[in-house]
Amino acid sequence: MLGLEPQVLLLLLICLVAACAFEFVNGFHDTANAVATVIYTNTLRPWVAVVWSAFWNFIGVFGGGITVAMGIVYLLPVESLVDQNIYHGIAMVGALILAAIIWNVGTWYYGIPASSSHALIGSILGVGIAFSLLPEAAGAAVNWSKATETGIALLVGPLAGFTLTIILMFVLKRFVRNKAIFKEPHKRKPPPLWIRLILIATCTMVSFFHGSNDGQKGVGLIMLILIGIVPFKFALDESKNPLDMRGSLGQVEMVMRKVNPADLAPDEQQALTEINQQTANLDRIFAGKTDVKQLPEADRFQIRKAILLTYTRAKKLMDSERVSLSPADRKAYEGAIKNMRTFTDYAPKWVILIVSLSLGIGTMIGWKRIVVTIGERIGKEHLTYAQGASSELVAAGMIGVSTQFGLPASTTHVLSSAIAGSMVANRGVRNLNPGMVRNIALAWVLTLPVTMALSGCLFLLFRALL
């Protein structure tokens, strides 16, 4: 299988199982975000709600695309971390997975809604920072622009969820005449049919969008594993012929030849030189090839590096005011580089399948601890129909928008903040449970630094041992 040594193959399988375990833990850690409202309003029985949520999480993974997954992959410049020692790749992925799982299981055990997204991203950043401390590190090992974009998205999500839920609650109070929606649910009776249908719909939406966003994080994690440990096999999409990108490569070269180096700043001149070096490297690899079988497997990773380095350097040039290109040239470049990126930005169907299964099965297990927190401990009153529906509607919308823009969203923090907003809208800030809110906020603040430190230390330890 994959032509690997037995011990390397074993370690690869262990890493893949660990990645599935992370997504499994993510499922039962985050499932409360979708089912808490339908359970606490007696809309659905717990086992029905959990199975229903698991099904839509499964579907969501397949419907979410891979934009968020690639955002996770490109937090680390894997091309700079991977070298000829395959065990270094194992150290990288092993450290970040183990750190994320440790934090997720710990917060779940204590019933604290903490973000799986924060845990995974913190672990990835910790590995990158730790790598930059090693003597062989040739520059930064974290894509800080992508990390900043991701951090802003994770920060804005909960704040927006809190604010929008308050607004939505006031709108409901103003325009909904049937006040039954604002009353505490009967302990044994289901809500009126129209309220029940709304709550089931919002539960379904949160489950689907959770799968589409968090499932992609699992896909990105597994792609990090595959690219890090078996780079020659998974550097490029095997369903596509790399020789087919030669037309797009020619277009990129044509556009770059129109850039006048004399007009550029020194760093931009250096970027243009590196672009020309990478495109020349691709020309060398493709020279004389008429069939993909003539392309050595070892060259596939070099093709990947050349495409991504060309993209990052050209992006810098295209954003510069000193580069004078016609709209037609810019459009030609964008189309060509987009086509070339389809060879590197992909995920095999089997990866999406095992992630969706892991997330779906995890959703059906271990949900009760976090459900109790969401339903009873964030506020001082029992969750009402209006609070449940408005919180989940806002959460689903926020997660869906994040997925469309290729940004990770913290389902846990968005919904927890939305629940808190609904409590404030009802009776003011005093309606919040200060102890639990403090614990959630503390977990929110600590997740990134703790997982960064933990994964960084584990990475340095594994690098010393392997």
Side-chain angles (χ1 to χ4, degrees):
M1 180 183 175
L2 304 179
L4 299 177
E5 299 175 1
Q7 63 270 27
V8 175
L9 178 59
L10 177 61
L11 288 171
L12 172 61
L13 292 174
I14 291 173
C15 287
L16 290 176
V17 170
C20 291
F22 169 81
E23 207 58 30
F24 175 85
V25 172
N26 186 4
F28 72 66
H29 193 284
D30 284 5
T31 188
N33 301 308
V35 302
T37 56
V38 290
I39 290 175
Y40 270 85
T41 56
N42 299 315
T43 298
L44 293 175
R45 292 184 179 181
W47 69 269
V48 175
V50 172
V51 172
W52 181 254
S53 178
F55 172 76
W56 285 103
N57 268 282
F58 179 90
I59 298 299
V61 178
F62 279 93
I66 60 166
T67 310
V68 175
M70 291 302 104
I72 295 296
V73 170
Y74 293 131
L75 278 174
L76 281 180
V78 184
E79 291 69 34
S80 67
L81 272 68
V82 174
D83 54 31
Q84 296 302 312
N85 188 336
I86 201 168
Y87 293 99
H88 290 174
I90 294 172
M92 173 187 74
V93 298
L96 66 91
I97 294 173
L98 186 57
I101 290 177
I102 289 173
W103 181 257
N104 262 6
V105 172
T107 52
W108 164 81
Y109 181 80
Y110 288 102
I112 300 174
S115 171
S116 299
S117 304
H118 281 68
L120 177 59
I121 291 167
S123 298
I124 292 173
L125 296 179
V127 166
I129 293 171
F131 178 82
S132 68
L133 302 177
L134 297 176
E136 62 265 36
V142 173
N143 184 345
W144 287 113
S145 62
K146 191 67 181 177
T148 301
E149 179 183 280
T150 300
I152 292 174
L154 292 176
L155 176 64
V156 169
L159 297 176
F162 179 83
T163 305
L164 291 175
T165 305
I166 292 177
I167 294 172
L168 182 56
M169 283 289 292
F170 279 124
V171 170
L172 290 176
K173 287 182 177 181
R174 176 68 177 81
F175 293 103
V176 176
R177 295 182 179 180
N178 189 333
K179 301 306 177 184
I181 194 173
F182 302 106
K183 294 181 180 179
E184 180 178 324
H186 193 281
K187 291 183 178 180
R188 287 180 295 275
K189 292 181 180 180
L193 180 61
W194 66 277
I195 296 177
R196 193 174 190 182
L197 292 175
I198 291 174
L199 289 167
I200 292 174
T202 56
C203 168
T204 303
M205 292 168 63
V206 172
S207 300
F208 176 82
F209 287 124
H210 175 263
S212 68
N213 197 283
D214 278 51
Q216 284 195 59
K217 295 163 194 167
V219 172
L221 178 57
I222 291 184
M223 291 310 296
L224 269 177
I225 293 170
L226 297 175
I227 297 169
I229 299 178
V230 202
F232 301 147
K233 183 71 175 176
F234 292 98
L236 299 174
D237 186 348
E238 285 202 324
S239 68
K240 300 170 74 72
N241 183 349
L243 300 180
D244 291 341
M245 76 173 73
R246 286 181 290 191
S248 296
L249 174 61
Q251 283 189 307
V252 170
E253 291 174 320
M254 177 190 69
V255 173
M256 290 301 120
R257 282 195 293 268
K258 294 183 179 182
V259 177
N260 186 1
D263 296 336
L264 305 178
D267 59 330
E268 294 167 348
Q269 292 176 349
Q270 176 64 27
L272 181 60
T273 300
E274 291 178 3
I275 292 170
N276 292 331
Q277 289 173 347
Q278 295 305 324
T279 54
N281 189 34
L282 288 172
D283 285 329
R284 178 190 58 78
I285 293 173
F286 294 145
K289 307 293 193 307
T290 58
D291 189 276
V292 69
K293 294 178 181 178
Q294 297 174 316
L295 196 65
E297 198 172 63
D299 282 345
R300 291 174 175 265
F301 193 67
Q302 296 304 317
I303 293 172
R304 177 186 178 85
K305 289 181 68 174
I307 292 172
L308 296 180
L309 286 172
T310 297
Y311 170 75
T312 55
R313 303 301 186 270
K315 187 176 186 298
K316 181 178 182 180
L317 287 183
M318 291 298 176
D319 292 339
S320 173
E321 295 179 353
R322 287 177 284 271
V323 175
S324 56
L325 290 172
S326 69
D329 287 332
R330 290 180 179 273
K331 185 177 180 180
Y333 162 76
E334 290 172 0
I337 201 68
K338 182 178 180 181
N339 178 61
M340 294 173 70
R341 287 288 297 271
T342 62
F343 290 82
T344 60
D345 296 4
Y346 81 103
K349 288 291 190 292
W350 65 267
V351 171
I352 298 174
L353 178 61
I354 63 173
V355 168
S356 59
L357 286 172
S358 301
L359 185 63
I361 294 171
T363 298
M364 293 187 287
I365 299 174
W367 50 272
K368 191 170 184 178
R369 289 178 183 269
I370 308 296
V371 163
V372 171
T373 297
I374 296 291
E376 296 181 6
R377 297 178 182 172
I378 292 179
K380 294 180 179 179
E381 64 180 6
H382 197 293
L383 205 65
T384 66
Y385 302 128
Q387 289 172 318
S390 58
S391 299
E392 288 206 323
L393 186 60
V394 167
M398 293 295 300
I399 299 165
V401 169
S402 296
T403 303
Q404 287 299 312
F405 283 97
L407 297 171
S410 170
T411 306
T412 299
H413 286 155
V414 170
L415 187 70
S416 297
S417 299
I419 294 286
S422 73
M423 293 291 172
V424 171
N426 232 22
R427 296 182 182 177
V429 177
R430 294 181 180 179
N431 200 29
L432 294 175
N433 183 340
M436 180 51 62
V437 171
R438 183 171 56 249
N439 288 343
I440 293 173
L442 192 61
W444 186 23
V445 171
L446 291 180
T447 296
L448 280 177
V450 170
T451 52
M452 287 170 67
L454 183 57
S455 66
C457 292
L458 287 172
F459 173 70
L460 295 176
L461 174 63
F462 293 163
R463 279 291 294 257
L465 296 176
L466 294 176

